Amino acid sequence: MDLWTYERQQWNNGLTTLCGVDEAGAGPLAGPVYAAAVILPREIDLPGLNDSKKLTPKKRDALFDAITAAAVAYSVASVTAEEIDELDILNARMLAMNRAIAGLSIQPDLCLIDGNRDHGSAVTITAPHITLVGGDGKSASIAAASILAKVSRDRYVTDVLDREYPQYQFARHKGYGTKLHYEMLDRYGPCPAHRRTFLKKWEARRT
């Protein structure tokens, strides 16, 4: 599928500045959730651009550099584990996306948002927007945002959390609930980077 189809529809409707928005890290047991907002030049050719989940880490890194170099504007934001516990993950995802959109140097006419949710119980996407299920594989702008969010989160987990809490080996599992991560939790218990609301089953098993 042509990744510019949805953007063209909006350009044909008279909207000129379109922004793709996506988040990364909703599922892990630890670390922040990240979101990115990206405004790309019209129909720019970024070879290999696709949903970040379908790309190798090496390809994601290369595209991260290409996207940030070429973008008209981009912004990356995060919501901490503590905020996730306070809000719940759906509200935290919406907050991360709001923060990313607000961080753009140019405010878009319309945001293309990955998924089918634009609000939680407490936080709503406030910018003009449409949602697009599977958007990271259908829209160039959302695919670019998915890459910036994923790479930014992975780098934070590897460069910051793994160094602060080396015993958990965050660089290997990125905070996801892998066998290794649960083994480290069993051995060391949770650290401040863990989302306590995500550990209810683990805690129940321990008692």
Side-chain angles (χ1 to χ4, degrees), residues 140-151:
S141 303
I142 298 176
S146 79
I147 290 164
L148 295 201
K150 170 69 173 162
V151 172

Side-chain angles (χ1 to χ4, degrees), residues 77-152:
S78 64
V79 171
T80 66
E82 186 178 14
E83 290 175 305
I84 292 167
D85 285 339
E86 288 172 5
L87 288 166
D88 78 35
I89 188 60
L90 177 58
N91 283 298
R93 286 169 52 209
M94 300 302 123
L95 180 57
M97 289 193 278
N98 271 343
R99 286 177 176 172
I101 296 164
L104 289 167
S105 57
I106 302 165
Q107 285 308 294
D109 297 325
L110 186 72
C111 298
L112 308 178
I113 296 186
D114 184 53
N116 63 353
R117 303 299 292 268
D118 64 357
H119 68 280
S121 58
V123 184
T124 297
I125 301 294
T126 52
H129 65 275
I130 58 171
T131 58
L132 190 58
V133 175
D136 43 9
K138 297 175 181 175
S139 155
S141 303
I142 298 176
S146 79
I147 290 164
L148 295 201
K150 170 69 173 162
V151 172
S152 296

Side-chain angles (χ1 to χ4, degrees), residues 44-66:
I44 185 174
D45 183 26
L46 291 165
L49 183 65
N50 203 339
D51 172 2
S52 65
K53 296 184 289 295
K54 296 176 180 174
L55 301 170
T56 64
K58 186 176 179 182
K59 185 62 178 174
R60 282 198 298 265
D61 281 336
L63 277 164
F64 181 97
D65 294 340

Side-chain angles (χ1 to χ4, degrees), residues 19 36 148 182:
C19 165
L148 295 201
Y182 278 114

